[in-house]
Amino acid sequence: MTGQGAFDADFAAGRDADGPQAGAASDDVFTVELDNWEGPLDLLLTLSRRQKVDLKQISILELVEQYLAYIADAADMKLEIAADYLVMAAWLAYLKSGLLLPGDPDIDPSAEELALRLQMRLQRLNAMREAAARLMARDRIGRDVFRRGTPEGLRTVRTRQWHASLYDLLASYGRVQARTAPVTHMVANREVMTLEAALQRVTQLVGSTLDWTRIEAFLPDAYRGALRKSALASSFLAALELARQGRLTLRQDGAFAPLYLRGSSA
Amino acid sequence: MNPAPDDFVRAVEAAVFAADAPMTAAEIGSYVGSDDADKDVKSALTAIAERHAGHGIELVERGGRWHFQTAADLAHMLRRERDAPRKLTRAGLEVLAIVAYHEPVSRAEIESIRGVQTAKGTLDVLMEAGWVRPAGRRDVPGRPIIYRTTADFLTHFGLESRKDLPGIDDLRAAGLLDPVDDAVERALEDAIESDELTRAELVKDGESE
Amino acid sequence: MNPAPDDFVRAVEAAVFAADAPMTAAEIGSYVGSDDADKDVKSALTAIAERHAGHGIELVERGGRWHFQTAADLAHMLRRERDAPRKLTRAGLEVLAIVAYHEPVSRAEIESIRGVQTAKGTLDVLMEAGWVRPAGRRDVPGRPIIYRTTADFLTHFGLESRKDLPGIDDLRAAGLLDPVDDAVERALEDAIESDELTRAELVKDGESE
């Protein structure tokens, strides 16, 4: 993106070919600096402005040549070229060959249609550029016209203002639906990790642990969901038991902070 | 109709209007470029004060500083009382949600969906808030009044149309339809599952001593 | 010197003057107590605008909302460094123009006109400035969010309505606000119609298959 400071004026001038990029004496030498453009379409628009004709009359073929030359220049200078510029280059090369070769009726869409399409995109982008410049040139509040500096302010007329958020509303509806839906209670047969299993596992693992290690590391990797939760609860109880026996130390920096275990160094 | 004011007077008027605080004649003069603020600016201020006299706006001087204010006799309009914003009750929210999802809906229908008797006051509050309105009567025995949501309802909740309300499936996916216990349990499970800690995170580096 | 204004007109003037944001006729009506704001308030506003025309302060309508502001030709005297509105980046400017001239428009549509992906921050900045807002979703697969400009946008740029967007009629007439796909199709149809020979060839081709 170009510097913002210079931008308004730059923009108003339509960024034509004599803009800041054309620093060199010759009109054909275009300082290669891809950072100046916001993507290939922007670069194409800048190049097309150099033809100094109405965008409806520009020679797409000439434009393609210029773009390809530009990208080739950049490549010669070993500049890093973003992928989208290269994709556009490849597409334009294809378009060029289509425009030069006698029309092949089997190719759809035709090269002419593609060229027309490109021209229209450039016209549309250009139209928005100019529209933005004209918009910015209007009498703007805070720059050209000013509102009252210290309005007294009006108090609202509504005597009572009710508030509720969309979330509140949806949650309420969920609550109503849940309340009135037929309810069946079933006690699921759950898979759990027993305290015995947890004691065995934590005892085994903590022996080889010298660093503070989170309790989650002691859980079997394959355990997921409710089973993992059960394993966490059992392992926690196991850790408490082992701490009581003096075989490991627990550490937690604050409420709900991660819980760390370490084997007691004998 | 208006005598054309000269540009100097216009500039003085604009400067006082846009100022953040009351200004002295000298301060105004420094804005509008007057060499003799005491004379030029003051005569401009007099002309401006005269132009506004008797209208809704007044130019006044207080301790040598000038500012615009609304005419004193109209001040009552600017200071209207208002109550603190109120949150809708749980019952109010539920009724509102039912009207929104099922409209047009009668009070008896609301009650049958809620499974609870709905106090008359609840619907009144929703109507006072401007979110629900009566919309005719249903052609059944008793001809009960039916209710709909209003355009203000859509505005308040940022909805383009009622179609933007999430469907039942969306609510379920968001966990809003589950009985509380299940929802809590699932939330816990999600919390555990998403808690994929890397090895590095599991071991407290450098603090092992 | 001044014709005595009636109290209603004075009240309307005071209300607009005191308000810290532009107000619609209906909002003004709710302060000054009008049952028919559309008629009463509007005729009062017209009278007030007339009274101020040509002076340092003007009453203007922007997007159906009214406010007082300083006359534009006095800008050079009132402009102060600290008042300069934040500058938009070039991307921001383009996106703003595209939303304004094409609204409602989705993010994908903005990107297809610009030919580049639009950084998320760009739309955020415009929304933070209060110039652009999400306006529901488009009824196409994926239901993308669509964007519009706000009343504040019109106020800031001094536009009475979107019809006042500079050059919008010309752009529309030139087809430059239509999607490229539509324009290409139309151009191809025109080309075929104006070129009998091609048409004949096309027909022959079609038959020979």
Side-chain angles (χ1 to χ4, degrees), chain B residues 22-32 37 65:
Chain B
M23 289 196 292
T24 62
E27 285 165 348
I28 299 168
S30 75
Y31 263 112
V32 297
R65 292 170 191 275

Side-chain angles (χ1 to χ4, degrees), chain B residues 120-136:
Chain B
K120 174 116 176 45
T122 309
L123 269 167
D124 287 349
V125 163
L126 295 175
M127 286 193 272
E128 187 199 312
W131 292 338
V132 166
R133 65 183 171 85

Side-chain angles (χ1 to χ4, degrees), chain A residues 108-211:
Chain A
D108 185 51
S110 66
E112 286 75 14
E113 184 183 332
L114 291 176
L116 177 65
R117 192 173 277 272
L118 176 60
Q119 191 184 36
M120 284 179 163
R121 290 188 68 190
L122 291 172
Q123 282 175 26
R124 274 160 182 70
L125 180 59
N126 189 51
M128 285 301 104
R129 290 265 162 91
E130 286 171 357
R134 291 169 74 179
L135 206 50
M136 291 301 139
R138 290 187 62 84
D139 290 330
R140 291 166 61 190
I141 299 242
R143 190 187 67 172
D144 308 292
V145 297
F146 298 85
R147 306 225 17 236
R148 193 168 165 212
T150 50
E152 290 98 340
L154 290 167
R155 299 275 182 84
T156 180
V157 175
R158 247 168 286 171
T159 46
R160 234 184 291 178
Q161 227 178 351
W162 291 98
H163 273 286
S165 73
L166 186 58
Y167 174 80
D168 292 338
L169 183 74
L170 301 179
S172 299
Y173 194 63
R175 201 163 59 219
V176 170
Q177 290 291 331
R179 191 166 63 223
T180 51
V183 179
T184 329
H185 280 291
M186 275 185 26
V187 179
N189 187 12
R190 293 187 172 177
E191 234 185 322
V192 295
M193 183 180 198
T194 62
L195 182 56
E196 289 75 23
L199 257 175
Q200 199 179 4
R201 185 176 169 88
V202 174
T203 311
Q204 236 169 44
L205 292 178
V206 85
S208 56
T209 307
L210 296 175
D211 293 325

Side-chain angles (χ1 to χ4, degrees), chain C residues 40-52:
Chain C
D40 301 344
V41 176
K42 280 200 177 150
S43 78
L45 288 166
T46 311
I48 297 163
E50 212 165 282
R51 173 166 103 79
H52 291 280

Side-chain angles (χ1 to χ4, degrees), chain A residues 1-2 4-11 15 36-42 46 56 84 105 110 112-113 116-118 120-121 123-125 127-148 150-157, chain C residues 15 17-23 30-31 67-72 75 78-79 83-91 93-94 96-98 101-102 112-116 131 153 155-159 164-167 171 175-181 183-184 187-188:
Chain A
M1 219 167 292
T2 48
Q4 291 175 25
F7 179 58
D8 269 347
D10 185 13
F11 202 80
R15 279 173 66 82
N36 281 343
W37 286 280
E38 257 204 88
L41 203 61
D42 186 16
T46 310
K56 281 183 209 143
D84 47 347
S110 66
E112 286 75 14
E113 184 183 332
L116 177 65
R117 192 173 277 272
L118 176 60
M120 284 179 163
R121 290 188 68 190
Q123 282 175 26
R124 274 160 182 70
L125 180 59
M128 285 301 104
R129 290 265 162 91
E130 286 171 357
R134 291 169 74 179
L135 206 50
M136 291 301 139
R138 290 187 62 84
D139 290 330
R140 291 166 61 190
I141 299 242
R143 190 187 67 172
D144 308 292
V145 297
F146 298 85
R147 306 225 17 236
R148 193 168 165 212
T150 50
E152 290 98 340
L154 290 167
R155 299 275 182 84
T156 180
V157 175
Chain C
F17 197 71
D20 40 26
M23 289 198 294
S30 74
Y31 279 101
H67 72 268
F68 280 105
Q69 64 181 30
T70 58
L78 305 174
R79 200 169 290 162
D83 282 322
R86 181 157 49 145
K87 283 219 169 183
L88 279 180
T89 61
R90 191 160 141 232
L93 276 170
E94 272 179 30
L96 180 62
I98 291 169
Y101 283 77
H102 291 262
S112 92
I113 293 171
R114 298 192 63 223
V116 271
W131 292 341
F153 163 78
T155 302
H156 183 91
F157 290 97
L159 301 161
D164 290 341
L165 283 169
L171 290 176
L176 287 173
L177 299 181
D178 302 333
V180 169
D181 286 344
V184 167
L188 289 177

Side-chain angles (χ1 to χ4, degrees), chain B residues 18-195:
Chain B
D20 291 337
M23 289 196 292
T24 62
E27 285 165 348
I28 299 168
S30 75
Y31 263 112
V32 297
S34 161
D35 294 331
D36 188 0
D38 222 46
K39 188 162 148 278
D40 300 343
V41 175
K42 281 203 175 148
S43 79
L45 287 167
T46 311
I48 296 164
E50 204 167 292
R51 172 166 104 79
H52 291 290
H55 288 272
I57 305 171
E58 289 172 349
L59 179 66
V60 294
E61 182 190 359
R62 298 278 181 266
R65 292 170 191 275
W66 296 78
H67 72 275
F68 278 109
Q69 65 179 31
T70 52
D73 64 310
L74 297 169
H76 64 278
M77 263 185 1
L78 317 178
R79 255 177 266 125
R80 199 163 289 203
E81 292 304 314
R82 75 163 177 190
D83 289 355
R86 291 231 216 148
K87 275 209 118 180
L88 216 50
T89 59
R90 186 182 157 118
L93 277 169
E94 286 185 12
V95 172
L96 181 60
I98 291 167
V99 176
Y101 274 91
H102 296 266
E103 74 176 43
V105 66
S106 71
R107 190 162 148 191
E109 287 156 357
I110 294 171
E111 290 179 349
S112 95
I113 294 168
R114 276 192 80 207
V116 190
Q117 275 227 335
T118 296
K120 174 116 176 45
T122 309
L123 269 167
D124 287 349
V125 163
L126 295 175
M127 286 193 272
E128 187 199 312
W131 292 338
V132 166
R133 65 183 171 85
R137 294 174 177 275
R138 199 180 296 301
D139 248 342
V140 295
R143 309 220 337 117
I145 294 179
I146 49 179
Y147 298 91
R148 281 187 181 283
T149 51
T150 63
D152 277 357
F153 163 79
L154 295 176
T155 309
H156 182 92
F157 290 96
L159 300 164
E160 191 87 340
S161 77
R162 282 185 56 248
K163 281 191 218 124
D164 285 355
L165 283 171
I168 294 293
D169 289 342
D170 295 325
L171 291 179
R172 183 169 292 121
L176 290 172
L177 270 193
D178 296 328
V180 177
D181 315 348
D182 271 14
V184 169
E185 189 158 310
R186 194 146 322 136
L188 279 175
E189 271 174 29
D190 286 352
I192 293 171
E193 271 180 39
S194 67
D195 198 6

